[in-house]
């Protein structure tokens, strides 16, 4: 039987996501005594990162409030994990900090923060009333995590090692990435991949969706395999014939890597057939 707060979330038509694992040197929450401190949350939805940009330039005031509300939903998801799945254990929301990625002349940060504050009060009632600080920031991390689809999980754990999929280079961070990349080749370093992705050159829209494989041991990154999901070839100078044929047959091209493996496999088979003849 759902608790009081879970029932309230259902009334508000809010589904809490699975709280994401941390992507740098921190933990998602800390419990000390009867207090829970939640790490910062971003505008991650089930289908990816939302509301990317600056309020006052790329994002409207109303979208900014919606972004704050989405962050608050992710905060509640972390609180639920910290409370062992029982949100009825929450007695009071004490303080909320809101960082708004905004232009230098934007001054309506409190209105943006209301998107989060109002949600806490809608969900927890009087217990959701809190003290608050809302400030502007020149930039904020574009962290995001790909959620597995079509049977692909975003994390696989073994006895010692675990593997996860990162939705962009910034999900991993420059220090961890460059520790694996070394200094010999600039095209394997974080700066190159981050520039390609943040510039919009490698995105799902352009047909190159970042989906990097990260292998960890005891929470420490041991290796990174940069990967991109090839979901279409529209607008490229060299048109992928495999993708075109698959699309003509109503099929979805899963990845460029898969397509190349298929080509190589066919070539090897053709070579073997010729050798047999």
């Amino acid at each position: 039987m759902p608790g009081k707060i879970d029932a309230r979330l259902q009334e508000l038509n809010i589904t809490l996501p699975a709280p994401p694992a941390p992507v740098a040197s921190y933990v998602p929450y800390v419990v000390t005594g009867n207090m829970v401190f939640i790490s910062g949350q971003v505008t991650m939805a089930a289908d990816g990162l939302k509301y990317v940009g600056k309020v006052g330039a790329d994002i409207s005031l109303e979208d900014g409030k919606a972004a704050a509300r989405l962050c608050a939903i992710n905060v509640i998801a972390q609180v639920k994990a910290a409370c062992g799945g029982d949100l009825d254990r929450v007695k009071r929301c004490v303080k909320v900090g809101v960082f708004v990625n905004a232009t230098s002349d934007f001054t309506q940060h409190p209105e943006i923060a209301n998107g989060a504050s109002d949600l806490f009060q809608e969900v927890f009632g009087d217990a959701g009333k809190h003290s608050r600080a809302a400030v502007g920031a020149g930039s904020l991390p574009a962290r995001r995590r790909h959620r597995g689809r079509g049977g692909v999980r975003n994390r696989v754990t073994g006895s010692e090692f675990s593997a996860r999929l990162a939705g962009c280079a910034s999900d991993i961070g420059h220090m961890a990435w460059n520790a694996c990349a070394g200094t010999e080749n600039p095209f394997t370093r974080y700066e190159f991949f981050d520039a390609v992705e943040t510039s919009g050159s490698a995105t799902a829209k352009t047909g190159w969706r970042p989906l990097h494989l990260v292998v960890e041991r005891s929470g420490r990154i041991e290796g990174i395999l940069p990967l991109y999901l090839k979901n279409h070839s529209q607008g490229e100078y060299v048109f992928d014939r495999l993708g075109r044929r698959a699309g003509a047959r109503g099929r979805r091209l899963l990845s460029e890597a898969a397509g190349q493996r298929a080509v190589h496999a066919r070539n090897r088979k053709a070579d073997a057939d010729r050798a047999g003849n």
Side-chain angles (χ1 to χ4, degrees):
M1 180 177 179
K4 178 181 177 182
I5 301 302
D6 285 333
R8 179 59 179 154
L9 288 169
Q10 290 180 5
E11 291 176 8
L12 296 171
N13 197 28
I14 294 174
T15 300
L16 295 181
V23 295
S25 299
Y26 67 94
V27 293
Y29 58 81
V30 171
V31 179
T32 176
N34 62 351
M35 299 284 291
V36 178
F37 295 86
I38 306 298
S39 296
Q41 303 297 308
V42 296
T43 52
M44 181 60 66
D47 56 347
L49 199 67
K50 300 293 186 181
Y51 309 110
V52 178
K54 287 183 177 290
V55 181
D58 314 301
I59 299 175
S60 67
L61 178 64
E62 289 305 312
D63 281 347
K65 292 176 66 176
R69 180 182 176 89
L70 180 54
C71 289
I73 290 174
N74 291 330
V75 167
I76 295 174
Q78 295 286 6
V79 172
K80 184 170 184 177
C83 292
D86 184 7
L87 285 170
D88 289 351
R89 295 177 60 190
V90 175
K91 302 303 179 185
R92 188 66 188 265
C93 179
V94 178
K95 185 175 182 179
V96 173
V98 180
F99 294 86
V100 182
N101 189 12
T103 58
S104 59
D105 58 346
F106 184 79
T107 59
Q108 295 174 281
H109 308 90
E111 295 182 47
I112 297 292
N114 284 345
S117 295
D118 291 346
L119 178 70
F120 290 135
Q121 294 179 50
E122 290 176 26
V123 173
F124 295 106
D126 287 342
K129 295 180 178 179
H130 51 267
S131 62
R132 190 182 77 185
V135 297
S139 65
L140 289 174
R143 184 186 66 187
R144 59 183 177 182
R145 182 177 303 284
H146 171 74
R147 292 180 60 82
R149 294 180 182 177
V152 179
R153 293 179 291 175
N154 69 337
R155 181 175 288 271
V156 179
T157 303
S159 58
E160 184 178 3
F161 291 90
S162 65
R164 62 180 173 90
L165 296 173
C168 63
S170 61
D171 188 2
I172 300 169
H174 74 281
M175 293 183 65
W177 187 294
N178 285 340
C180 296
T183 59
E184 295 182 1
N185 189 342
F187 297 108
T188 63
R189 290 180 61 79
Y190 171 86
E191 291 78 8
F192 171 73
F193 286 92
D194 184 59
V196 168
E197 293 169 13
T198 57
S199 68
S201 300
T203 65
K205 184 177 180 180
T206 60
W208 296 94
R209 180 179 181 179
L211 203 63
H212 308 308
L213 178 64
V214 182
V215 177
E216 299 172 326
R217 179 170 60 180
S218 301
R220 178 179 177 178
I221 294 177
E222 297 289 340
I224 302 167
L225 177 61
L227 295 172
Y228 289 87
L229 187 67
K230 192 72 174 70
N231 57 322
H232 71 73
S233 299
Q234 301 169 12
E236 295 183 4
Y237 292 108
V238 179
F239 197 86
D240 185 342
R241 289 180 295 174
L242 287 174
R244 186 176 184 180
R245 291 170 184 170
R249 299 188 185 106
R251 299 173 184 172
R252 183 179 177 186
L253 182 63
L254 294 181
S255 70
E256 182 70 12
Q260 291 299 325
R261 284 196 298 271
V263 170
H264 295 161
R266 282 197 296 271
N267 289 342
R268 287 195 296 271
K269 184 177 185 303
D271 292 340
D273 291 343
R274 285 194 293 271
N277 293 333

